[in-house]
Amino acid sequence: MLKPEILDPQGQAVSGALPRLGFEQFREVRQGKRFVLTVDGEVTEEHLAAAAEAAEKLLSNPVIEDVVSVRAQQDVDSVRAEDPDQ
Amino acid sequence: MLKPEILDPQGQAVSGALPRLGFEQFREVRQGKRFVLTVDGEVTEEHLAAAAEAAEKLLSNPVIEDVVSVRAQQDVDSVRAEDPDQ
């Protein structure tokens, strides 16, 4: 997600549109990215550590973005290291 | 997230770059969006239902995207209905 002090025009646009469309209950909207990284087999601690490192160094821009969550997610057909990032 | 059958060029670009940067363990990368919707006070079931409806109808394009998760998240300074979406 964008750091709190960074302006988020996309989120602001959504935030402005929601009340016009009947959603009055949300005070603020911020938009970010998520990445799903798929691995073969079980998600190990090493996979999660590598995903966290990739998220910090490559998938996000650390000047303006924070990595907010890196977690494993079991999938129906495969096991994924998930990276709801930035 | 983009539906599995929809091509994800951004994710493919990341997927191609990771091995060159030392991350060999990820078979596939897909990129999507997340939204953080902030509410005043506690996140209620009504907030989550509204967030899920907004995610399905307004924040995602149901032709090409799936809403994969809508969940409440407690924050240090506020309570948020989080919408790691699309």
Side-chain angles (χ1 to χ4, degrees):
Chain A
M1 298 297 294
L2 285 167
K3 289 178 190 288
E5 64 271 25
I6 306 288
L7 210 61
D8 175 10
Q10 284 186 303
Q12 286 180 345
V14 172
S15 194
L18 283 178
R20 293 199 302 273
L21 297 160
F23 297 93
E24 311 271 359
Q25 54 277 82
F26 303 113
R27 184 161 53 79
E28 189 193 7
V29 178
R30 291 184 71 82
Q31 184 173 341
K33 296 176 204 157
R34 72 195 316 264
F35 294 86
V36 177
L37 310 176
T38 307
V39 301
D40 292 319
E42 290 285 323
V43 177
T44 63
E45 285 302 313
E46 287 72 31
H47 287 140
L48 282 175
E53 191 187 348
E56 292 282 355
K57 293 192 179 167
L58 306 168
L59 304 177
S60 69
N61 176 349
V63 177
I64 58 167
E65 291 168 328
D66 287 325
V67 175
V68 293
S69 163
V70 178
R71 66 179 197 278
Q73 179 184 290
Q74 197 85 19
D75 209 50
V76 197
D77 49 35
S78 63
V79 182
R80 293 173 174 211
E82 188 188 347
D83 217 4
D85 191 43
Q86 304 183 22
Chain B
M1 298 297 296
L2 285 168
K3 289 178 189 289
E5 64 271 26
I6 305 288
L7 210 61
D8 174 10
Q10 285 187 303
Q12 286 179 345
V14 173
S15 194
L18 284 178
R20 294 200 302 275
L21 298 161
F23 297 94
E24 311 271 0
Q25 54 277 83
F26 303 114
R27 184 161 55 79
E28 190 194 5
V29 178
R30 290 183 72 80
Q31 184 172 341
K33 296 177 206 159
R34 62 188 268 132
F35 294 86
V36 177
L37 310 175
T38 306
V39 300
D40 291 318
E42 291 285 322
V43 176
T44 62
E45 285 302 314
E46 287 72 30
H47 287 140
L48 282 175
E53 191 187 348
E56 291 283 354
K57 293 192 178 168
L58 306 168
L59 304 178
S60 69
N61 176 350
V63 176
I64 58 167
E65 291 169 325
D66 287 326
V67 175
V68 293
S69 164
V70 178
R71 66 179 198 278
Q73 179 184 289
Q74 197 86 18
D75 209 51
V76 197
D77 48 35
S78 64
V79 182
R80 295 174 174 210
E82 187 188 346
D83 216 3
D85 191 45
Q86 306 181 21

